[in-house]
Amino acid sequence: VVPVVVHGSFLAFATLMVWHGWTLTERMFVTTFPTLGISQGWLYLALPVTGALIALHALAALLTGAPASAAGEPEGHVP
């Protein structure tokens, strides 16, 4: 039950990060950096991209049933 709650929480957070990050990115694409001449949206695009990667990781952990404490830790790791 705990891994489902943990990974589900990460998935919910990541979904919000993608949604609100994309909204912010769309708003910022109309402004440019004065010295560089490129859109500020490229800077804010990191938010939805990172949120999507977190969502993929959380979804994979939910589908494989990975324990919440062992995600990304080597086999036999003792904290």
Side-chain angles (χ1 to χ4, degrees):
V1 173
V2 172
V4 173
V5 171
V6 170
H7 295 306
S9 298
F10 278 126
L11 184 59
F13 173 75
T15 304
L16 288 173
M17 195 170 164
V18 169
W19 180 263
H20 291 291
W22 183 253
T23 303
L24 182 61
T25 300
E26 284 182 325
R27 287 185 193 168
M28 297 308 290
F29 259 114
V30 297
T31 61
T32 58
F33 290 109
T35 56
L36 298 175
I38 62 171
S39 174
Q40 289 185 10
W42 293 108
L43 175 71
Y44 289 93
L45 193 60
L47 288 170
V49 169
T50 304
L53 292 174
I54 293 171
L56 286 175
H57 179 72
L59 189 60
L62 279 171
L63 293 176
T64 61
S69 61
E73 294 179 359
E75 188 71 30
H77 176 73
V78 179

